[in-house]
């Protein structure tokens, strides 16, 4: 049990729609990272937020955006959904910016785009 | 930039037999190395990590890994596997001080009774 929770667990959307995924970080963790894990692949880094500001971004288009709130919760928003956005989305929280060695992953949200 | 290659996509092994899951990485800077396990329909759990110091790293559930800088490898080993070790295992690398992990494509370990 890592203390990192995600909601919903599963979600089905249609192409072109918008989706919001939520993550609740472990208490005291002011950094959250989001990863996309397509079927049969390893997770890919989307972006990291530190103290409510984007701290780094992977190779994902601007229609992937995020928010981080003072209460240790965060959101991943994806606009104009495409079929290949279907994946498991993982969030990971850590107590320090850039501290990948102390981050804890949540159970993920599985998004299916039809 | 870093990259990770997991050399085997699937590894079947009999219960109580030893296992090695192979991982090679490339990086132009000092690295941190990690192994994660993912059980079906679950998130990632950290097995072990190498940051610095001793090249032999011990983790949870009896797993260990050895960092070999000259061969740019970080292979995961367990001397005797159990049915409950059936899962997918991911090797990951990060540049020291970097904010992101780069993962391999994973190795599915199947333990046969």
């Amino acid at each position: 049990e890592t203390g990192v929770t995600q909601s919903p667990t599963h979600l089905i959307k249609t192409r072109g729609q918008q989706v919001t995924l939520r993550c609740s970080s472990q208490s005291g963790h002011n950094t959250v990272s989001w990863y996309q894990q397509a079927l049969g692949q390893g997770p890919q880094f989307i972006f990291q937020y530190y103290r409510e500001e984007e701290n780094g971004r992977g190779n994902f288009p601007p229609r992937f955006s995020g928010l981080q709130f003072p209460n240790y919760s965060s959101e991943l928003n994806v606009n104009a959904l495409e079929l290949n956005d279907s994946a498991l989305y993982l969030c990971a929280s850590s107590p320090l910016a850039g501290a990948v060695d102390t981050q804890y992953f949540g159970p993920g949200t599985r998004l299916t785009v039809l | 930039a870093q990259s990770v290659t997991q050399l085997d996509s699937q590894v079947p092994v009999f219960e109580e037999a030893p296992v090695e899951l192979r991982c090679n990485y490339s990086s132009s800077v000092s690295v941190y190395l990690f192994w994660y396990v993912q059980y079906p329909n679950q998130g990632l759990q950290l097995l072990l990590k190498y940051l610095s110091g001793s090249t032999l790293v011990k983790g949870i559930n009896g797993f260990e890994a050895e960092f070999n800088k000259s061969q740019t490898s970080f292979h995961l080993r367990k001397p005797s596997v159990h049915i409950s070790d059936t899962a997918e295992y991911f090797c990951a690398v990060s540049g020291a001080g970097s904010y992101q992990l780069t993962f391999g494509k994973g190795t599915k370990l199947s333990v046969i009774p």
Side-chain angles (χ1 to χ4, degrees):
Chain A
E1 184 66 39
T2 65
V4 181
T5 60
Q6 292 185 244
S7 63
T9 53
H10 296 86
L11 199 53
I12 299 174
K13 291 286 188 178
T14 56
R15 194 171 47 181
Q17 284 188 312
Q18 179 265 343
V19 69
T20 298
L21 310 181
R22 293 179 174 85
C23 172
S24 180
S25 299
Q26 197 161 319
S27 180
H29 284 194
N30 55 18
T31 302
V32 65
S33 300
W34 287 89
Y35 289 80
Q36 180 196 65
Q37 185 180 10
L39 198 62
Q41 302 294 318
Q44 280 195 288
F45 175 76
I46 303 174
F47 45 56
Q48 183 184 88
Y49 275 76
Y50 170 65
R51 291 185 175 177
E52 304 166 46
E53 297 285 333
E54 188 177 294
N55 189 45
R57 191 176 186 92
N59 190 25
F60 280 81
R63 60 189 184 84
F64 286 78
S65 63
L67 285 172
Q68 186 186 25
F69 304 102
N71 65 351
Y72 308 120
S73 68
S74 59
E75 292 179 353
L76 165 65
N77 299 288
V78 187
N79 293 322
L81 283 167
E82 301 176 1
L83 295 179
N84 64 7
D85 293 332
S86 294
L88 180 69
Y89 288 85
L90 298 163
C91 74
S93 73
S94 63
L96 297 170
V100 293
D101 59 311
T102 56
Q103 67 182 12
Y104 298 90
F105 282 85
T109 292
R110 185 162 297 282
L111 172 64
T112 302
V113 182
L114 302 176
Chain B
Q2 293 81 38
S3 67
V4 176
T5 302
Q6 291 186 243
L7 297 160
D8 306 293
S9 59
Q10 297 188 59
V11 173
V13 63
F14 285 103
E15 193 174 15
E16 297 184 6
V19 69
E20 178 180 83
L21 306 183
R22 297 181 293 168
C23 172
N24 285 92
Y25 71 92
S26 68
S27 175
S28 57
V29 299
S30 297
V31 295
Y32 295 159
L33 292 157
F34 305 81
W35 275 99
Y36 285 88
V37 61
Q38 186 174 41
Y39 298 101
N41 300 315
Q42 293 189 28
L44 298 172
Q45 181 182 7
L46 180 66
L47 279 177
L48 49 80
K49 60 187 176 185
Y50 170 80
L51 305 182
S52 64
S54 172
T55 57
L56 183 63
V57 180
K58 294 191 183 296
I60 63 171
N61 301 342
F63 284 94
E64 64 180 33
E66 185 156 17
F67 170 56
N68 188 319
K69 188 174 182 180
S70 62
Q71 297 188 4
T72 61
S73 68
F74 190 56
H75 301 332
L76 181 71
R77 302 185 184 99
K78 186 169 183 177
S80 175
V81 295
H82 189 267
I83 293 289
S84 60
D85 293 322
T86 295
E88 189 155 22
Y89 292 78
F90 292 94
C91 181
V93 64
S94 168
S98 172
Y99 50 75
Q100 71 176 76
L101 288 169
T102 299
F103 287 86
K105 291 188 175 182
T107 297
K108 289 183 179 175
L109 174 65
S110 299
V111 180
I112 305 162

